[in-house]
């Protein structure tokens, strides 16, 4: 008895020429209409939570920093402006103070400057007249008298005897005296003509003009200022306020008349008493002398005070 198998749907395979089976037309159709798979796309990244807030905060911080920097610059500019205004105010105040101080300076003019201005603005020239020693003041009075008697006021303007104030130490006593700057000479300011020359030349005790006898050369104004200036300075010192720290008094020249360098003196006190000495140097301010004393046949330099010696 033969076994029968149920019929099943089997694909109709057809053998090709090579004997290889090929799918039937139904299987090929199913494969032809099968849909193609869609291409895969990368998913978009999801935004991180809070990123926009952080950016906003950073922007706010930057804007706040810029605002603070601008404010700081404005404050610095204002501070500099205030400093400049303060300095300008100080300069203005100093200028006003200087202007206020000008009248005080003008109220107290410099006598020496006034003397120079007057000297340079006066008419005539200054000539030096030679006189006998010690007769300077008498010649001055005689020239002024002859000027009036001979009607020479328009030619002979002024007669001066240059003097200076010195401190004289005599017999241990110090005193202020006036000494002539040029012993034996007198200054005359005049317009030189034959008549004015004769009026001065023939004055008693006058021996002539310095320079050419008939055509003397006048002094320069600088030379006249040097000769007459000490007298003006002495007058200024005498009229200035005593003990004023702003105007210290000028030291006067010191003269010592008891003895001088080269004089022979006797030592009256100290270890060299009764010995003779020769003065080699004199220090008036310290009131001491340096002298040579003969000891055992040799001259020995010693230093002595004024009270230890006396003139032989």
């Amino acid at each position: 008895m033969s076994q029968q198998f149920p019929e099943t749907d089997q694909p109709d395979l057809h053998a090709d020429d090579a004997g290889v089976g090929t799918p039937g037309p139904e299987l090929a159709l199913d494969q032809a209409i099968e849909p193609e798979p869609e291409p895969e796309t990368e998913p978009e990244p999801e935004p991180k939570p809070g990123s926009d807030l952080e950016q906003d905060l950073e922007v706010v911080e930057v804007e706040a920093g810029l605002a603070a920097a601008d404010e700081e610059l404005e404050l610095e500019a204002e501070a500099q402006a205030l400093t400049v205004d303060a300095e300008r105010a100080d300069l203005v105040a100093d200028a006003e103070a200087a202007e206020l101080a000008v009248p005080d300076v003008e109220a107290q003019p410099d006598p020496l400057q006034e003397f120079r201005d007057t000297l340079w603005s006066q008419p005539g020239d200054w000539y030096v007249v030679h006189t006998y020693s010690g007769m300077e003041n008498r010649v001055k009075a005689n020239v002024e008298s002859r000027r009036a008697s001979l009607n020479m006021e328009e030619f002979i303007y002024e007669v001066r005897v240059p003097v200076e104030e010195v401190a004289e130490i005599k017999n241990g006593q110090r005193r202020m005296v006036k000494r002539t700057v040029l012993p034996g000479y007198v200054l005359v300011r005049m317009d030189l003509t034959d008549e004015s020359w004769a009026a001065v030349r023939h004055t008693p005790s006058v021996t002539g003009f310095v320079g050419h006898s008939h055509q003397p050369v006048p002094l320069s104004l600088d030379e006249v200022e040097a000769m007459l200036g000490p007298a003006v300075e002495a007058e200024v010192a005498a009229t200035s306020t005593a003990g004023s720290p702003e105007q210290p008094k000028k030291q006067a020249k010191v003269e010592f008349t008891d003895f001088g360098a080269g004089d022979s003196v006797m030592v009256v006190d100290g270890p060299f008493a009764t010995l003779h000495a020769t003065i080699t140097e004199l220090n008036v301010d310290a009131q001491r002398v340096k002298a040579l004393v003969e000891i055992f046949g040799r001259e020995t330099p010693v230093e002595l005070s004024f009270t230890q010696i006396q003139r032989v």
Side-chain angles (χ1 to χ4, degrees), residues 209-236:
F209 284 85
V210 174
H212 195 276
S213 58
H214 293 284
Q215 293 294 330
V217 179
L219 295 173
S220 66
L221 293 180
D222 292 335
E223 293 173 333
V224 177
E225 181 180 343
M227 295 178 184
L228 301 180
V232 178
E233 292 178 356
E235 293 177 359
V236 172

Side-chain angles (χ1 to χ4, degrees), residues 54-69:
E54 291 179 357
Q55 292 179 358
D56 294 340
L57 291 176
E58 291 178 358
V59 171
V60 171
E61 290 178 357
V62 171
E63 292 178 352
L66 293 175

